[in-house]
Every structure is written in C-alpha cells, then in structure tokens.
Amino acid sequence: MESLLSSSSLVSAAGGGLCLRKQNLKILSLSGNRVLRCNVVAKPKSRTNLVTRLDGQESSSLFLLCSRHKTRFQANATTGQPEAFDPKSKPNSFRDSLDAFYRFSRPHTVIGTVLSILSVSFLAVEKVSDISPLLFTGILEAVVAALMMNIYIVGLNQLSDVEIDKVNKPYLPLASGEYSVKTGIAIVASFSIMSFWLGWIVGSWPLFWALFVSFILGTAYSINLPLLRWKRFALVAAMCILAVRAIIVQIAFYLHIQTHVFGRPVMFTRPLIFATAFMSFFSVVIALFKDIPDIEGDKIFGIRSFSVTLGQERVFWTCVSLLQMAYAVAILVGATSPFIWSKVISVVGHVILATTLWTRAKSVDLSSKTEITSCYMFIWKLFYAEYLLLPFLK
C-alpha cells in the first residue's frame, strides 16, 4: 500500500549537503522497505542512507530517492492521488518519448493483435504455393491497419479513465502527466484516421469492416457519453471484448486473406470454427481477469465489474476453470485430427498449457495486487501461445 504525505521540513542531511523543504513526497513499498520518492534536481554529495522519523516512527530502511523522470508520480497530500509534477514538462530525451509511447500503446495488446492476425492468416493457407510475397503483403496490410486501430482503442480508454488510472495504473503516460490530454487526443485521432485510410486504399472489404466495427465497439466501450461507456456494465463490457478479440479478428482477417489476397470464395473451415470458439472462451477470460487487479479504482469510480460485484477470488477461479474447459476441448479436437503431426502438436501443446496454468494459479496470492497483475500478464502469454498452436490444427 502506498501512503502520501507533505512535509515542510522532512529530511536534512548535513553530511550530504542536502536539505529538502516544502516538497511533496511519496512513500512507496518496495520489497518490504519504505522508500521516499521526490522530484528534485539536487543530489546528495554522498550515497549515505538518510534516516528520519515519519509519524513518530523510526525507520532504519528509509532512503531518499530522486526520480529520474521529473514527470512521474508526484504525491498530492490533499487528495492522496498521484498527479503530474508539471503539466508543461516534456520528456527530456528521445528514449523517454519512446518509453512513454510504448506504455501508452499497451504492448501486451499489440503483441496479441500481431500474433492473432498472423495465426488466422495462415489458417487460410491450403498449399505450399500459397506462401508467397502476395500473402505476406496482405498480412502486412492487415497488421499495420489493425495496430493503428488498436492504439486508438487503448488510447481512448486511457483518455476516458485518467482519474481511475491514477489509482489503478499510475505508470501510464496520461495518468502520470507525461502526456497531456491534448497529446492523447492528437495520438488517438491520428491513428484512427490512418487506420481507416489504409483500410480504404487496400480495397479489402473484410479488412475495412473489421476496422470499422472495432472502432465502433472500442468507442462505445470507453467514451463517457449518454448510453455509451459500456465498460460500466460487466456483461456488456465482456461482450465488446469477445466480439473484437474472438469474432472480428478470427473471421474478418481470415476472410481478408481468403477472399482479397487469394481470391477464393468464402468458406468456413474446421480450424477457423474451432479458433473462433476457443478464442471466445479466451476473450471472456481476459475480459473478466483484467478487472481483478483494478478493483480498488473501479469501486471508487462506480465501475460495476464482476470483480467488484462477485469478489476477486470467485472471478479468478472462474477464469481458470473456463480456460481449463477450453483446453480440454482443444485436446479432444486435436486428438480427432486426421494428421499425426497435427494430433501430436495440438494434444501435447494444450496439455502443457493447461498444466502450466493450473500450477501458476495455485501459487497466486489473491491478497497481493502485484501477484494478480503478474498472473494477468501470464494469461496474455497463454493467449499468445494459443495463436502459435492454432495453425497446426488441421
């Protein structure tokens, strides 16, 4: 837990030549040690540990840290919420700019989008001659357009959730103050326009409609307008994620390759049907699991997620159970494949994933937000692994 305070004269160190006055300071908990982070440019002349009293208590493991990035996580003693150090401050290097954009783009969703399109595209491959520059050009068109739309969707969600993210995800650029709201708006507007522009000039209707429906659902999910902001309603929010991740990605991008790239008639194959059904389970799990570590901020701002209404532990084990059911079905489907290589890879691969998930789930401390968040990212790794297995299902 983090605690916030403001002090007019909290620390003095004569030996180090450092005196801090009227600074907003923040206490962080790192591996059991209490740490002060402040935004100052002065540096002590030595690395001597500074010891002082907080609330009348002596702390021998209290260290003074000066933040490397001035814009990150200044504490506000009045509200108790992290806020920007200086709204006019800017990243001081190209590397900082890349780091901020990296976090803004939510890289785990970027990786998921790329892997899903690659996997689904190869489901349309019927013979060796299909693997050609034409195929990779079609995949590149889909990946670039989808990534631009992905950045629009995750960026809009951050613009709509700045205050919530100050509680749940203070490391995001908008919540920390590294990005202003105007910067966020410029980014999401630019990427949505570029995504539609690329989808239009490619001339693939499945691709264009995939972008358009994703845009509509992503906007309705996040934006705070009458009858919208569907993320407030747990079931509707889950359906939005399921529609995009499970249905649009599988079917629309498959049809982009099947009809636009290869010029073949629409045909729903056995692997495509399985991929859509399996990813429907997975998308529901992601939709449920993503709210488990965010329960604190969701309660404060009235987001009635399943984790808020049903409790973290119940939702956690529901997610694990759903995935185990999906893996069991995948093992049965793989076992019925007429190809030995497909049978072996599908069965062995899903047994390994199911066992790994169960082992990891049993070790999670549900009272620790850090462990729950780590487990959520592990679920995304399982999501990536599934897309690596799907092309082998024939």
Side-chain angles (χ1 to χ4, degrees), residues 32 50 80 100 225 326 362 391 394:
L50 303 178
L225 292 175
K362 289 193 299 182
K394 298 294 182 181

Side-chain angles (χ1 to χ4, degrees), residues 6-322:
S6 177
S7 173
S8 60
S9 179
L10 183 62
V11 179
S12 63
L18 174 65
C19 182
L20 305 179
R21 293 180 181 275
K22 298 183 179 179
Q23 299 292 330
N24 284 331
L25 303 178
K26 180 175 183 177
I27 300 176
L28 306 175
S29 176
L30 298 175
S31 304
N33 293 328
R34 304 175 74 196
V35 180
L36 282 177
R37 172 168 290 176
C38 65
N39 292 297
V40 296
V41 294
K43 295 181 180 180
K45 296 180 180 178
S46 68
R47 290 180 171 269
T48 306
N49 296 341
L50 303 178
V51 182
T52 188
R53 291 180 180 272
L54 295 176
D55 301 329
Q57 298 296 323
E58 188 76 27
S59 175
S60 60
S61 60
L62 187 63
F63 302 92
L64 184 63
L65 300 178
C66 294
S67 175
R68 185 167 60 90
H69 298 293
K70 290 183 180 181
T71 57
R72 276 187 205 169
F73 313 136
Q74 181 203 21
N76 184 309
T78 302
T79 63
Q81 303 297 334
E83 62 180 23
F85 171 72
D86 181 0
K88 297 182 180 180
S89 64
K90 298 179 180 179
N92 56 17
S93 71
F94 180 69
R95 182 176 179 180
D96 289 340
S97 299
L98 287 180
D99 177 65
F101 184 75
Y102 175 81
R103 283 177 280 118
F104 183 79
S105 67
R106 308 297 280 141
H108 62 283
T109 67
V110 169
I111 296 171
T113 298
V114 173
L115 284 179
S116 61
I117 293 175
L118 285 172
S119 179
V120 170
S121 297
F122 276 97
L123 288 180
V125 173
E126 296 179 357
K127 49 186 182 294
V128 176
S129 60
D130 288 340
I131 303 177
S132 64
L134 184 64
L135 170 64
F136 290 107
T137 299
I139 293 175
L140 182 62
E141 293 168 344
V143 167
V144 173
L147 285 182
M148 290 176 178
M149 187 56 65
N150 187 89
I151 290 173
Y152 163 77
I153 292 172
V154 299
L156 180 65
N157 187 57
Q158 291 172 66
L159 282 169
S160 303
D161 287 355
V162 174
E163 295 303 319
I164 298 177
D165 287 340
K166 286 180 180 179
V167 178
N168 292 335
K169 302 179 182 76
Y171 53 85
L172 294 178
L174 284 166
S176 68
E178 291 169 275
Y179 281 176
S180 67
V181 172
K182 289 183 179 180
T183 299
I185 292 174
I187 292 174
V188 299
S190 300
F191 275 86
S192 63
I193 292 171
M194 290 190 294
S195 178
F196 279 124
W197 174 78
L198 180 57
W200 181 262
I201 65 171
V202 165
S204 169
W205 283 109
L207 175 59
F208 184 83
W209 281 106
L211 299 174
F212 181 75
V213 176
S214 298
F215 174 86
I216 295 297
L217 292 178
T219 302
Y221 178 87
S222 296
I223 198 165
N224 195 7
L225 292 175
L227 303 180
L228 298 180
R229 195 162 173 78
W230 292 350
K231 68 179 298 178
R232 293 176 298 169
F233 313 105
L235 184 60
V236 180
M239 292 301 101
C240 284
I241 295 175
L242 185 150
V244 173
R245 288 285 174 190
I247 299 175
I248 294 174
V249 168
Q250 317 307 317
I251 297 178
F253 289 107
Y254 172 85
L255 293 178
H256 165 68
I257 301 298
Q258 178 78 355
T259 63
H260 177 73
V261 175
F262 292 149
R264 295 169 181 161
V266 175
M267 181 173 60
F268 295 94
T269 62
R270 175 175 176 266
L272 176 64
I273 294 172
F274 170 77
T276 304
F278 187 94
M279 287 304 170
S280 295
F281 271 90
F282 227 124
S283 298
V284 170
V285 169
I286 289 176
L288 295 176
F289 209 111
K290 74 178 186 64
D291 294 325
I292 298 178
D294 294 343
I295 189 170
E296 181 182 353
D298 288 349
K299 283 181 178 179
I300 294 173
F301 291 94
I303 303 296
R304 303 294 295 171
S305 66
F306 282 113
S307 297
V308 172
T309 56
L310 301 178
Q312 289 176 300
E313 183 174 0
R314 183 178 298 181
V315 174
F316 176 86
W317 287 109
T318 297
C319 291
V320 173
S321 300
L322 286 174

